[in-house]
Amino acid sequence: MADQALDVDFALNEAQEMLRQTTRQFLADRVPLEAVRQLADTEAGFDEKLWQAGAELGWHSLAIPEEYGGAGYTFAELSIVLEELGRALFPGPFLSTVVMAADAILTAGTEDQKQAHLPAIARGERTVGVALFEGPRGANLDDISMAAEPSGDGWVLTGTKTNVVFGQAVDTILVAARTAGGLSLFLIPSGTPGVSHEAVPTLDPTTKQAQLTFTTVSVGPEALLGREGAAGPVIERILRLAAVGLSLDQVGGAQWCLETSVEHGKTRFQFGRAIGSFQSIKHRCADMLVEVEHARSAAYHAARVTGDEEELVIAAPLAKSVCSDAYEHVAGETIQILGGTGFSWEHSVHLYFKRAKSTALMFGDARYHRRLLADALGL
Amino acid sequence: MTDTIKAESAEALVGERLEQLLGGYDPSVEPQEFWGNQYDLGLAWVQFPEGFGGLGVSPKYQSVVQGALEKAGAPTWNRELNLLGIGMGAGVLAAHGTDAQKVKWLRPMFTTEDMWCQLFSEPGAGSDLANLSAKAVRDGDEWIVNGQKVWTTLAHIAKWGMIPVRTDPDVPKHAGITYFIVDMKAEGVEVRPLYQITGEAEFNEVFFTDVRVPDEYRIDEVGAGWRVSMTTLMNERVAIGSRALPRGGGSMEAAIKAWKDYGHADPAARDELVQLWAGWEALRLTTLRANQMRKAGTPGPEGSTGKLAWADLNKAITAFTVDLMGWDGTLYPGGYVLHRPTEFESEGSPQRNFLRARANSIEGGTSEIMKNIVGERVLGLPGEPRVDKDLPWKEVPRG
Ligand SMILES: Cc1cc2nc3c(=O)[nH]c(=O)nc-3n(C[C@H](O)[C@H](O)[C@H](O)COP(=O)(O)OP(=O)(O)OC[C@H]3O[C@@H](n4cnc5c(N)ncnc54)[C@H](O)[C@@H]3O)c2cc1C
């Protein structure tokens, strides 16, 4: 498996090519940047109708097996959508619902839980917020300390979770807590008595967040996802998938920035010439292309080895570190190439720059992922 | 008189005037009144002639003045508040203005009664300022100005604007420009806010429709506007690049605070922090050295290196600071509030400062342009081939 993982096939088949085209077209028609900006001003931060429409296109069901209402494809197909969503700055709890929660349910859930949740996710009828960490440094299992106590045949949860992406708008929460047996995951409706949320303003207006407070929240036994105390490896896996998902988002956004820079280089004239004819701009664009292509390779590779845990522990932090740095740099360069316009609120490049920084910091920054990589390599 | 004696008497003169200004300093005095006194005593710009806010001594004594003011707890923030006036406009008037113009504009500029703005950039003329197309046509003792300017910082509160305009489209672009001071409250001047990445509208777009400007507001000769514009920019770059911060001050302070507040210990990140600290300190020392060596008169192109280095470092330090904050770095305290500040907002959250820093390599001349200036004018490297230099302005290709 390992050798195969080092030599993945990047080519898209016809169906995958189609998926990219229809996804891009849909986003261009239905979620242009003006729409993204309008949604950023709403409290929910995303549009239920668009969410539904995306699900009808099959986005949500791609990596869900057929027996649970999915299309039974792989992460490679899902990765196409994730990249396009990043390119369009699509706002919504897609990563937490479709990438993280769906995988956690599939890996750890009981048959009843899979039947209860996966078809609903596939149909776009469920939004899930992932509530793992409790402070600014949250990135790994050590950063989870909230407790869940047994009570009758169920549980009582008490504590606070920070930085829950779209936590103010989702209908379901996947929350990590410590029980006597160890780390456990619970899947509970957001409206459960005792759960309150406080929206917090975000650097990236396209990615809302909330802080969730659990005040002696009583839940039944069905809320426990899978086995008590067995959530450690499940959380580690969804963190790796989050890293891969964010990397793809970053590649999509970085590609938009590159194209925007190149276009400006061709059409903006100063000193009687297109500014792209100045080496400082031309070389920058060439460097950006190299960066974006490297980021793409790392992200695509990771998206193709999500089933191979041994390779994923390398591929996920590799992708997150390379893609985070690339996106932040390329978005910053695009501002520079656009000049005063790039610094304005009116042009959308600032939204890319903010999403670049935000995705870079979510679930551990590039430095953190390089540490994970060093560990995985035994260095 | 030997130089030593000159220096001794200059020092004595500055000391004497400082004593007059600060002896029995009363903190309850209104800042504007204080700045008026400072101006009248010749301590506004010591290198300017007496009667125009100066004493005609070496500009190095200005740091003596600033030091004494700070020590006394006297107000010094007029330089920040009216940066475009005091940091740039004053140098322009000193180098190119008539005595009548200096008398009219310098004092209220220094006291901040009259705020200033810089109307250089246009939609079609940013880095290529000489390509500007706002124009002025002579009408007796007046000029009639038409056109659009953009990215004009604080135009909404300014009383006076420095504006180069095209007065002759038939000659090569640098030759057909004339420079004026324009009354921002005059009829036909319309100022509209432009919001920026942080949600603030520090800058504006400004439209001129048949605005009448008296010929007395013209700076230097008709057709000499490029030279005056260069004086403005050289002063601007020094004003931006030569701010003397304390060691570890400015954005570095926030980086160190975040390092401590977030309990960082990772050796790799520590090395990054100290690299930035060392770069920042080397810049501070270079600025200090340059300020000591600066001669009277308009600063030369060497003033551009400080701005260049400062832009890169400030961007890197503010970005690193946000990284140190982890998930907190993904938040934006207070949210984005579209508003129009009435002065430079220099304070803000690390996230806001991270976003604001992106302008550092654009405002006042982009870093690419700074590098061209340093390469060509400081180091004497050959220039790029120019396609537009000798063409009449109206024939230059514009895409
Ligand atoms: C916060 C802020 C405040 C400002 N305040 C003012 C103000 O008060 N008054 C005012 O007049 N202007 C102001 N400006 C405008 C500023 O001076 C211009 O934005 C700047 O000069 C660049 O012009 P531009 O935006 O048109 O970009 P362009 O000139 O179009 O440049 C686009 C890109 O091309 C590059 N480029 C252009 N020419 C060359 C070349 N020859 N070689 C290599 N690269 C090149 C640039 O470096 C840049 O990366 C402000 C700008 C900002 C961001």
Side-chain angles (χ1 to χ4, degrees):
Chain A
M1 194 71 189
D3 281 351
Q4 207 182 322
L6 292 181
D7 201 9
V8 298
D9 184 0
F10 289 109
L12 295 190
N13 62 34
E14 215 172 301
Q16 291 168 330
E17 213 40 272
M18 268 288 276
L19 175 63
R20 179 180 301 285
Q21 273 169 32
T22 53
T23 304
R24 185 171 295 190
Q25 195 58 50
F26 173 87
L27 289 165
D29 293 345
R30 296 283 303 275
V31 207
L33 287 168
E34 305 87 79
V36 169
R37 285 162 160 268
Q38 280 167 15
L39 289 172
D41 284 335
T42 62
E43 201 199 311
F46 75 104
D47 177 357
E48 295 272 0
K49 284 205 202 74
L50 278 178
W51 181 260
Q52 267 297 325
E56 276 156 30
L57 284 178
W59 295 349
H60 301 226
S61 66
L62 285 168
I64 294 177
E66 280 163 306
E67 66 256 49
Y68 303 116
Y73 291 114
T74 63
F75 204 96
E77 281 75 22
L78 182 56
S79 74
I80 294 171
V81 172
L82 287 163
E83 182 185 345
E84 293 303 319
L85 296 183
R87 178 190 174 88
L89 297 180
F90 183 85
F94 196 82
L95 183 82
S96 56
T97 305
V98 178
V99 176
M100 299 176 78
D103 192 85
I105 296 164
L106 196 59
T107 328
T110 62
E111 188 56 27
D112 281 354
Q113 286 170 329
K114 291 180 194 175
Q115 291 294 354
H117 297 290
L118 292 174
I121 290 177
R123 286 195 302 270
E125 287 163 8
R126 186 135 308 161
T127 49
V128 189
V130 175
L132 299 178
F133 302 123
E134 294 149 31
R137 302 283 296 277
N140 61 41
L141 303 184
D142 297 338
D143 303 314
I144 303 172
S145 59
M146 180 172 143
E149 304 288 341
S151 159
D153 60 351
W155 304 86
V156 173
L157 281 68
T158 303
T160 300
K161 294 288 180 180
T162 52
N163 307 97
V164 181
V165 174
F166 287 99
Q168 86 296 355
V170 291
D171 54 46
T172 304
I173 302 160
L174 179 65
V175 53
R178 292 196 180 268
T179 58
L183 268 175
S184 303
L185 279 165
F186 298 85
L187 201 56
I188 66 175
S190 320
T192 308
V195 180
S196 64
H197 69 256
E198 187 195 336
V200 284
T202 48
L203 177 73
D204 168 17
T206 69
T207 306
K208 304 285 175 198
Q209 290 184 25
Q211 174 163 316
L212 301 186
T213 307
F214 299 79
T215 316
T216 47
V217 175
S218 297
V219 295
E222 74 291 345
L224 178 70
L225 187 68
R227 285 190 299 115
E228 187 209 336
V234 183
I235 297 172
E236 284 187 322
R237 174 166 166 82
I238 62 173
L239 285 173
R240 281 183 203 118
L241 293 185
V244 180
L246 288 171
S247 303
L248 290 154
D249 191 276
Q250 292 169 327
V251 169
Q255 176 67 30
W256 182 93
C257 291
L258 170 64
E259 288 170 20
T260 301
S261 287
V262 170
E263 179 62 21
H264 196 66
K266 290 177 183 168
T267 53
R268 171 69 171 170
F269 270 60
Q270 290 285 273
F271 304 96
R273 341 177 351 189
I275 58 164
S277 71
F278 294 116
Q279 279 195 351
S280 78
I281 303 294
K282 193 187 299 164
H283 287 187
R284 261 204 169 90
C285 288
D287 286 341
M288 285 160 73
L289 175 70
V290 172
E291 266 184 291
V292 173
E293 288 306 323
H294 283 202
R296 187 188 308 285
S297 306
Y300 284 12
H301 169 250
R304 282 159 179 73
V305 299
T306 55
D308 174 358
E309 282 299 325
E310 207 183 311
E311 177 62 13
L312 190 60
V313 296
I314 291 172
L318 168 72
K320 181 77 187 338
S321 59
V322 170
C323 297
S324 294
D325 283 349
Y327 193 11
E328 190 178 341
H329 184 239
V330 167
E333 293 287 69
T334 305
I335 292 181
Q336 183 66 21
I337 289 173
L338 288 167
T341 306
F343 190 69
S344 73
W345 184 264
E346 207 170 307
H347 195 284
S348 292
V349 66
H350 73 93
L351 296 173
Y352 285 86
F353 183 68
K354 290 166 182 173
R355 186 138 154 167
K357 191 60 156 182
S358 172
T359 52
L361 293 176
M362 286 165 66
F363 302 109
D365 71 355
R367 298 173 188 86
Y368 170 77
H369 281 91
R370 281 193 289 269
R371 284 206 295 280
L372 291 186
L373 191 52
D375 291 344
L377 296 173
L379 297 174
Chain B
M1 212 165 42
T2 68
D3 280 356
T4 357
I5 298 173
K6 250 201 301 196
E8 269 172 24
S9 66
E11 210 172 309
L13 181 60
V14 170
E16 195 178 297
R17 295 296 176 87
L18 272 173
E19 176 54 31
Q20 274 174 274
L21 179 66
L22 295 172
Y25 168 66
D26 171 10
S28 71
V29 127
E30 285 298 321
Q32 291 200 347
E33 194 187 325
F34 179 85
W35 292 323
N37 291 338
Q38 185 183 348
Y39 180 91
D40 295 338
L41 286 166
L43 298 175
W45 302 273
V46 289
Q47 72 276 21
F48 286 13
E50 292 222 48
F52 301 116
L55 297 169
V57 301
S58 157
K60 71 180 182 195
Y61 292 107
Q62 195 63 44
S63 55
V64 176
V65 174
Q66 296 312 116
L69 294 182
E70 269 155 36
K71 204 163 153 220
T76 54
W77 61 88
N78 53 337
R79 283 172 202 277
E80 279 293 311
L81 203 63
N82 202 5
L83 183 72
L84 295 136
I86 299 176
M88 301 153 60
V92 169
L93 293 174
H96 304 276
T98 62
D99 283 358
Q101 289 172 334
K102 290 177 202 162
V103 167
K104 179 177 175 60
W105 282 311
L106 283 176
R107 195 178 188 279
M109 170 198 287
F110 190 76
T111 63
T112 73
E113 271 153 89
D114 287 351
M115 297 291 286
W116 283 56
C117 69
Q118 177 198 19
L119 299 148
F120 277 31
S121 305
E122 297 181 5
S127 299
D128 185 10
L129 171 63
N131 187 40
L132 57 87
S133 60
K135 61 174 186 182
V137 178
R138 192 159 196 156
D139 182 28
D141 284 345
E142 291 182 323
W143 295 79
I144 301 172
V145 175
N146 278 286
Q148 183 195 348
K149 297 288 177 174
V150 73
W151 320 127
T152 320
T153 302
L154 299 187
H156 54 293
I157 55 164
K159 165 70 178 158
W160 300 106
M162 300 168 266
I163 185 170
V165 288
R166 188 148 309 278
T167 45
D168 187 352
D170 297 317
V171 293
K173 61 181 188 174
H174 295 98
I177 300 171
T178 304
Y179 195 107
F180 294 91
I181 304 299
V182 59
D183 182 348
M184 295 298 289
K185 308 296 172 201
E187 210 182 306
V189 181
E190 194 200 335
V191 180
R192 297 185 200 153
L194 283 175
Y195 295 93
Q196 55 211 37
I197 189 168
T198 55
E200 292 145 90
E202 277 173 66
F203 53 34
N204 301 270
E205 46 187 350
V206 185
F207 297 85
F208 293 86
T209 315
D210 294 332
V211 177
R212 293 193 161 263
V213 180
D215 190 52
E216 299 102 79
Y217 291 6
R218 172 168 48 80
I219 304 293
D220 215 321
E221 303 294 319
V222 172
W226 180 250
R227 199 164 68 206
V228 187
S229 300
M230 283 302 103
T231 301
T232 321
L233 291 178
M234 292 304 168
N235 277 287
E236 173 172 29
R237 286 157 195 171
V238 169
I240 295 176
S242 74
R243 275 173 288 197
L245 290 167
R247 169 177 279 185
S251 54
M252 184 46 70
E253 211 174 306
I256 290 170
K257 183 172 182 327
W259 176 266
K260 291 181 178 159
D261 286 357
Y262 288 87
H264 283 279
D266 173 50
R270 187 160 175 260
D271 182 65
E272 266 182 88
L273 174 66
V274 179
Q275 262 188 44
L276 292 168
W277 191 95
W280 197 236
E281 179 63 6
L283 169 65
R284 188 185 73 83
L285 294 170
T286 307
T287 306
L288 198 67
R289 201 156 59 89
N291 286 353
Q292 285 170 4
M293 293 190 310
R294 183 156 302 127
K295 305 263 183 333
T298 299
E302 69 285 352
S304 299
T305 55
K307 178 187 182 293
L308 189 58
W310 175 75
D312 277 352
L313 276 163
N314 202 45
K315 287 202 294 190
I317 292 168
T318 53
F320 181 68
T321 305
V322 171
D323 289 352
L324 290 176
M325 298 167 70
W327 281 97
D328 279 356
T330 69
L331 305 181
Y332 202 73
Y336 294 99
V337 184
L338 295 190
H339 71 288
R340 231 174 162 182
T342 52
E343 55 185 73
F344 285 113
E345 294 182 352
S346 50
E347 301 293 311
S349 65
Q351 295 92 325
R352 182 265 177 197
N353 294 342
F354 157 67
L355 297 178
R356 179 63 184 79
R358 298 317 299 189
N360 298 160
S361 51
I362 302 171
E363 57 196 340
T366 68
S367 289
E368 290 72 40
I369 295 300
M370 293 294 115
K371 288 181 191 175
N372 284 346
I373 292 173
V374 171
E376 293 170 22
R377 310 261 315 275
V378 180
L379 299 175
L381 291 164
E384 296 220 13
R386 293 286 293 267
V387 297
D388 60 339
K389 220 167 170 168
D390 303 317
L391 287 178
W393 173 75
K394 60 182 186 188
E395 288 169 21
V396 171
R398 297 197 169 77

